[in-house]
Amino acid sequence: MINITSFFRSRKEFNLLFCINSGRSGSNYLSSLLGTTKEVFSQHEAEPPMIGGYLEMVNNYPFSESYQSRRVKVDAIKQAIKSMPKSKKIYCETNHMFIKTFFDVVMDEFSEKVEIIILRRNLVRVLKSFIELGYFSERNKVWSEWMSSPNSITAVLPCIGLDSELDQYDLCIAYLLDIEARAEKFQKDYPSARTYEIKLEDLNDFSNINRMFKAMKITPTQETYKIYNKKINNREIRKKEIGISSSLDYCEKRLKEYIEKANYLGIEIPQKAAT
């Protein structure tokens, strides 16, 4: 365990930045962008990534029952902050597991120092990527290591059916809508955390990146210009291996149908996911 007193003495001036996102929404690209700034020490999925067993815990039991086990992430973050270059003032991690497996332990430990990016990508495009990567299907044997069940104990949004009753599309959609509901709940539960809402599509325009950095009081460098608009974490080869094809039109149709079913059942879909 890290001695908390000596830790804060060694790093009096630092902040932390985390990202709420669904996965397949540009979080790796965002991490790379932020890491080019003068102030930010940025990682995408730092150790421990909080997948696998940690996800299983929060899928099946309330957060309180696994709280102490999941505090391993807090110790890892403290160690990373102690080790990062003195020129860096912000520890950043864009891991999509934040909102699923370690947001609560981080906020309890660092609440006054935490800022949040809510990163969104066009939901239909995210759904298409999920389908073609075989998430929530037998074609992909490892997706369950990092994607929470839409019927998990800690899910925020009720699902339209049990996992066993839904096909791949409905399971992916239910998961994606639940992530948006988790983001909404996080903002209500932690109103003091400064939040930046960013669309991946807006990061294709450098003027938007500059505005974002200005709002966050961080400084771009020449490396920022080099990485701008560069494709990162492209999964086309993996998609070919999985062998599932879909279309944006069909994904949009399925999303609308899911929302209609949810509305019929009295399930309130998060506004920003339904538009």
Side-chain angles (χ1 to χ4, degrees):
M1 297 290 289
I2 298 170
N3 183 284
I4 190 73
T5 303
S6 62
F7 167 73
F8 280 111
R9 283 176 181 168
S10 67
R11 278 284 184 179
K12 290 183 178 179
E13 296 182 7
F14 71 90
N15 287 310
L16 301 96
L17 180 62
F18 294 94
C19 184
I20 297 175
N21 68 91
S22 64
R24 304 306 303 153
S25 57
S27 57
N28 201 350
Y29 171 54
L30 177 63
S31 176
S32 298
L33 270 179
L34 292 167
T36 65
T37 66
K38 290 182 179 180
E39 298 85 358
V40 181
F41 175 75
S42 185
Q43 302 179 89
H44 180 217
E45 296 171 353
E47 293 292 334
M50 304 301 286
I51 62 175
Y54 297 106
L55 181 61
E56 185 177 354
M57 291 177 191
V58 299
N59 264 340
N60 296 300
Y61 305 99
F63 285 120
S64 59
E65 294 195 23
S66 60
Y67 187 89
Q68 290 303 320
S69 296
R70 291 181 296 106
R71 275 188 57 83
V72 65
K73 188 64 174 181
V74 169
D75 287 335
I77 290 169
K78 289 178 181 178
Q79 188 60 57
I81 292 170
K82 285 184 70 175
S83 303
M84 70 185 189
K86 295 294 183 182
S87 61
K88 301 293 185 178
K89 305 298 182 184
I90 301 171
Y91 171 89
C92 172
E93 187 171 345
T94 61
N95 191 345
H96 65 91
M97 301 305 295
F98 170 76
I99 196 58
K100 291 177 279 192
T101 59
F102 63 97
F103 74 92
D104 55 336
V105 295
V106 163
M107 295 307 295
D108 286 351
E109 191 72 34
F110 302 109
S111 60
E112 294 182 1
K113 291 180 172 291
V114 174
E115 295 186 342
I116 300 294
I117 292 175
I118 298 178
L119 177 64
R120 297 182 176 94
R121 179 188 178 193
N122 178 280
L123 201 60
V124 174
R125 292 187 178 277
V126 179
L127 175 58
K128 183 176 185 293
S129 184
F130 270 43
I131 295 297
E132 294 182 341
L133 284 167
Y135 295 171
F136 295 91
S137 84
E138 292 298 319
R139 294 284 187 94
N140 187 323
K141 302 299 182 183
V142 295
W143 65 266
S144 60
E145 290 290 302
W146 57 82
M147 294 297 171
S148 56
S149 163
N151 282 292
S152 72
I153 293 294
T154 54
V156 172
L157 189 72
C159 190
I160 64 169
L162 300 176
D163 287 11
S164 59
E165 298 171 343
L166 304 179
D167 68 4
Q168 184 192 11
Y169 280 88
D170 281 344
L171 286 168
C172 287
I173 293 166
Y175 164 85
L176 293 170
L177 295 178
D178 180 55
I179 294 299
E180 186 61 46
R182 290 175 189 242
E184 200 174 76
K185 185 175 187 300
F186 180 94
Q187 289 177 290
K188 291 177 181 176
D189 290 348
Y190 301 99
S192 63
R194 187 171 184 180
T195 302
Y196 308 93
E197 300 193 30
I198 298 169
K199 293 181 179 179
L200 175 63
E201 292 79 6
D202 290 341
L203 298 182
N204 292 326
D205 184 335
F206 201 84
S207 63
N208 291 329
I209 294 173
N210 272 327
R211 277 194 289 272
M212 176 182 77
F213 284 0
K214 185 175 181 180
M216 298 172 68
K217 299 180 180 179
I218 56 178
T219 313
T221 65
Q222 287 300 316
E223 290 301 313
T224 311
Y225 290 90
K226 290 179 183 178
I227 204 168
Y228 155 62
N229 216 14
K230 183 179 178 181
K231 275 196 171 184
I232 294 174
N233 204 19
N234 189 301
R235 299 287 183 86
E236 293 308 314
I237 293 175
R238 181 59 175 152
K239 289 177 182 178
K240 288 180 181 179
E241 292 173 348
I242 295 295
I244 302 175
S245 62
S246 188
S247 70
L248 291 174
D249 286 344
Y250 186 68
C251 287
E252 184 172 16
K253 176 178 179 290
R254 291 298 303 265
L255 178 60
K256 287 180 178 178
E257 289 175 350
Y258 186 100
I259 291 174
E260 287 173 1
K261 291 176 186 176
N263 288 337
Y264 177 78
L265 294 171
I267 298 170
E268 187 175 349
I269 300 298
Q271 185 177 3
K272 292 184 179 178
T275 55

